[in-house]
Amino acid sequence: MAGIERKHHVVIVGGGVAGLEALIALRDLAGDRVEITLVAPQPDFTYKPFAVEEPFSQQPPERRALAPIAQEFGSRFVQAAVEGVALDEHTVELSTGESLEYATLVVCAGGRLRPAFRQGSTFLASGELLIDDVLTNAAAAPSRRIAFVVPPGVTWPLPIYEVALMARTRAEALGLVDLEFLVVTPESGPLIMFGSAPSAEVEALLRGRRIAIETGSYAHEAEDGTLILTPGDRLLEAGDLIALPLIEGPGIAGLPADQHGFIPIDDNARVVGADDVYAAGDGTTFPIKQGGIATQQADAAAEHIAARAGAPVQPQPFHPVLRGKLLTGDESLHLEHHLEGGSGEGSAALDYLWWPPHKISGRYLAPWLEGTTPHAEPDPPRRPIDVEVSLPKEWHREPMALDPYRPL
C-alpha cells in the first residue's frame, strides 16, 4: 500500500468529536511514529451535545480553539475545507488551493444537516431556536398543542426528547400550563435503540411531564406544507412544531459513497475501496449517528493505523456500544446498550454508567475534556451489569439492516 513503509503522515479531516478522538488516540498509540495534520474548515471545536441547552439557558456550548489543541498533541492545524481526495496520488485537495499529501487519511467530516420540513422550527444545534416564541405561537393556536417531530430518514432522535422535556419546564414558567405537548416519532418506542428497558424509562419520564408520545408514526409534508402522519393519513394538528434535521453524507469528491453521500467503512473503520483511507463519525454508513459511536470508530481506526506504523498495538474491530445522556432540565438519565454480543434490554440509571460522565463517552476525548487520564474502557468506578444484544447482520456489509427505529 502506497506510503505505508515510510514514516506516516496522517491527515485527519474534521475538527469535531471523531477528529479529536482520532488525533488524541493516534498520538497516544503511535507516538512519534506518525506525523499528524488536522484539517478543519472552522477554527474551533464545539461541544455540540450541550447545544440543546442553549435555547433555554442562552449560554452557547463549550468551544475550544483547534490550533492549540493540535499543538498540544504535537500536530499541525490547517484551517480549510476539503474539496476532494485524489486516491491514486494520496493527496487531499483543500479550499485554499493547496494539495496536502498523506500516507494515511482519516475522514471525520461528519454529516450535512438539512431541515426535514418547510414549516415549524428545525433544531440544528446552532442557537437559532427561539423557544419562547414557538411556545407562545403554539399556545395561541386553536389546538393549543406543540409537536416535537422525529422525521423519517437518517437522524439522531435523542435531542428531540431533551428539547421537549426542557420546553415543558419553560412553558410552565411562562404560564402556559394548558399547552399540550406531543412527540411524534417513527421509533417503535422512545429511544428504542437503547433497548426496551431504557425506552420504558424514557416513556415514563415523558408521561410524568405530561408529554404525549405517538410512536410508529411517519410525518410527511404535503404540497400545501401541512404534515400528514402515516399510517392512517392523518393531519398533524399543532399550533407549532419543532423537528430534528435529516443527516446526509459529506459526499467528498473522490471518495467512495452510497447514494446519500455516506462513506462505507469496514469493522476497522477502513473505507471500502480506498487504500490507506479511514473514516469515522456521522459521515459513514453506520446508521446510528451519535458522538459516542463516532469516537469508537475513531479508536478502531487509530489502533489499526498505529499497528501499521509499527506500534505494539493489537487493533480491535469496532464494537458499537451506545451510551447516551438524556438531559431533562433536572436530573439526567444515563442510557447504555451494547449493540452486539448476547441479548438483553439495555440499562438506564440516574447514576453514572460510564466514566468520566461526559455526554459523549469517548475513550480519549472525554478524559481530555475532564483533565484526567484515558481509560481502557469508559466504565465508571463501579462497573454496571453489561447487557448486550446481537446485531442483525454484518453491519458494514448491509449497514441499513441495523434499524435504529426498531429494537436492536
Side-chain angles (χ1 to χ4, degrees):
M1 295 183 181
I4 199 65
E5 292 79 17
R6 66 179 184 264
K7 180 182 173 81
H8 267 67
H9 177 210
V10 180
V11 174
I12 300 174
V13 173
V17 165
L20 289 193
E21 179 78 12
L23 169 68
I24 303 171
L26 265 175
R27 185 55 73 208
D28 178 67
L29 297 171
D32 293 336
R33 295 175 179 85
V34 295
E35 174 189 353
I36 304 174
T37 299
L38 179 67
V39 179
Q42 302 298 328
D44 299 325
F45 163 70
T46 302
Y47 198 64
K48 293 182 179 179
F50 283 110
V52 71
E53 294 181 320
E54 186 174 355
F56 305 93
S57 68
Q58 303 303 312
Q59 295 295 320
E62 179 182 0
R63 294 177 181 268
R64 300 197 186 190
L66 287 170
I69 295 175
Q71 185 178 15
E72 178 181 346
F73 293 99
S75 306
R76 181 168 72 108
F77 174 62
V78 175
Q79 185 179 344
V82 171
E83 300 287 344
V85 177
L87 295 175
D88 292 340
E89 287 79 20
H90 273 57
T91 59
V92 177
E93 307 302 323
L94 303 180
S95 57
T96 58
E98 179 185 3
S99 292
L100 193 60
E101 292 187 358
Y102 66 84
T104 301
L105 176 65
V106 187
V107 181
C108 306
R112 295 176 296 166
L113 304 182
R114 68 171 180 85
F117 311 114
R118 287 171 290 170
Q119 68 163 295
S121 301
T122 301
F123 179 70
L124 294 170
S126 62
E128 297 177 356
L129 179 60
L130 303 177
I131 189 64
D132 288 2
D133 291 347
V134 174
L135 293 171
T136 303
N137 290 340
S143 66
R144 294 190 58 80
R145 172 188 285 173
I146 181 171
F148 301 84
V149 182
V150 178
V154 180
T155 191
W156 171 237
L158 187 142
I160 205 69
Y161 296 98
E162 296 179 315
V163 173
L165 288 162
M166 293 183 190
R168 166 56 81 187
T169 301
R170 175 58 64 87
E172 292 176 353
L174 294 173
L176 307 176
V177 293
D178 295 330
L179 181 61
E180 293 184 15
F181 278 56
L182 173 66
V183 174
V184 177
T185 176
E187 302 162 284
S188 61
L191 298 180
I192 192 61
M193 75 285 293
F194 285 98
S196 57
S199 181
E201 291 283 348
V202 174
E203 183 168 3
L205 179 61
L206 293 171
R207 302 292 186 193
R209 297 283 185 91
R210 296 188 297 120
I211 301 173
I213 182 166
E214 186 169 331
T215 58
S217 292
Y218 295 76
H220 302 276
E221 200 164 37
E223 290 185 4
D224 62 0
T226 58
L227 290 192
I228 305 299
L229 303 182
T230 58
D233 290 333
R234 296 160 291 128
L235 176 67
L236 174 59
E237 296 183 2
D240 212 332
L241 66 89
I242 299 172
L244 292 176
L246 291 173
I247 303 174
E248 297 176 339
I252 298 175
L255 288 182
D258 68 7
Q259 66 270 31
H260 300 294
F262 294 107
I263 302 169
I265 58 173
D266 66 14
D267 55 4
N268 289 111
R270 295 178 297 183
V271 174
V272 178
D275 289 343
D276 307 324
V277 183
Y278 297 74
D282 291 356
T284 72
T285 50
F286 193 75
I288 297 178
K289 311 300 183 183
Q290 191 250 4
I293 293 293
T295 66
Q296 293 165 40
Q297 293 168 336
D299 290 340
E303 289 180 3
H304 205 263
I305 295 167
R308 294 177 67 198
V313 177
Q314 184 64 42
Q316 299 298 314
F318 164 53
H319 293 297
V321 180
L322 189 59
R323 297 180 175 98
K325 187 175 183 179
L326 181 69
L327 304 178
T328 69
D330 190 9
E331 292 184 303
S332 298
L333 186 64
H334 298 78
L335 312 170
E336 183 178 63
H337 203 182
H338 290 237
L339 299 182
E340 62 182 10
S343 61
E345 297 181 339
S347 303
L350 295 176
D351 291 332
Y352 305 143
L353 292 176
W354 57 88
W355 192 265
H358 270 264
K359 207 167 191 298
I360 292 177
S361 59
R363 182 184 301 175
Y364 287 91
L365 180 60
W368 177 76
L369 290 169
E370 192 78 11
T372 60
T373 304
H375 296 267
E377 290 295 336
D379 292 324
R382 293 174 296 172
R383 185 179 178 88
I385 298 174
D386 287 339
V387 185
E388 303 180 351
V389 63
S390 297
L391 290 175
K393 296 182 180 181
E394 291 186 78
W395 64 265
H396 56 277
R397 293 187 180 177
E398 296 185 58
M400 297 315 293
L402 181 59
D403 184 353
Y405 294 154
R406 299 290 176 267
L408 301 178

